[in-house]
Amino acid sequence: MAAGAGGPTPTAPLRLEAGLLLAGGGAGWLVAQRSGGLPPAALATPLLCFLMGLQNATITKISGARMRTTHVTGIVTDIGVELGRLLYWNRAGTLEGRPFVRADRAKLRLLLGLLGGFFLGGVAGAAGFLVLGFAFCLPVAALLLLTAGAMRQP
């Protein structure tokens, strides 16, 4: 990852992820076409696990280890912590030596966006796979390549 003015940019991992999606989606589509059905999950599962790990490592690196995108339970826990801080009542006169509790609203918005994106991506992925099978990996890979291309390199 190259470090730019705004911090590291994930262009190399995004391109790698797109290339692997293209290869895996294309191979899955070809096998499905020749066999008349879906290829065995044993072909797709290791690739998808690697891609999720790559995505998680990329976001972990960019966020300084504050975010992990494939651990939804951690995202939900962090949302609960921030909501608890948001609703906490700091009563005047009772803080003696205790820190003032304040929610990180920007982090809360980010976490809620990640959770919503995870849900919408899951629904879109399932629907896309239902309609197109492994060929659905191809437009997703193209979107990743476009995203990586839109990021500025130093």
Side-chain angles (χ1 to χ4, degrees):
M1 272 182 249
T9 58
T11 56
L14 281 178
R15 288 187 176 126
L16 175 61
E17 189 173 358
L20 291 171
L21 267 175
L22 282 170
W29 180 78
L30 286 173
V31 170
Q33 293 300 311
R34 292 198 172 140
S35 70
L38 292 178
L43 296 176
T45 303
L47 176 63
L48 293 174
C49 289
F50 177 78
L51 291 173
M52 285 190 293
L54 180 63
Q55 173 199 348
N56 195 53
T58 301
I59 298 303
T60 300
K61 175 79 172 162
I62 291 169
S63 71
R66 290 188 67 204
M67 295 287 153
R68 284 160 182 75
T69 58
T70 57
H71 300 81
V72 175
T73 55
I75 291 171
V76 171
T77 299
D78 289 347
I79 289 171
V81 167
E82 292 306 321
L83 286 174
R85 289 177 177 167
L86 186 66
L87 298 173
Y88 185 81
W89 181 30
N90 292 295
R91 293 178 294 264
T94 61
L95 293 179
E96 301 156 11
R98 287 182 274 164
F100 187 79
V101 177
R102 174 169 285 148
D104 185 342
R105 292 173 188 250
K107 182 178 180 182
L108 182 57
R109 280 190 298 275
L110 177 62
L111 291 167
L112 289 169
L114 283 172
L115 184 61
F118 189 88
F119 176 77
L120 291 174
V123 171
F129 189 81
L130 182 65
V131 173
L132 300 174
F134 279 92
F136 187 65
C137 293
L138 304 178
V140 174
L143 182 62
L144 283 171
L145 285 173
L146 287 171
T147 302
M151 294 180 169
R152 296 196 189 271
Q153 290 283 37

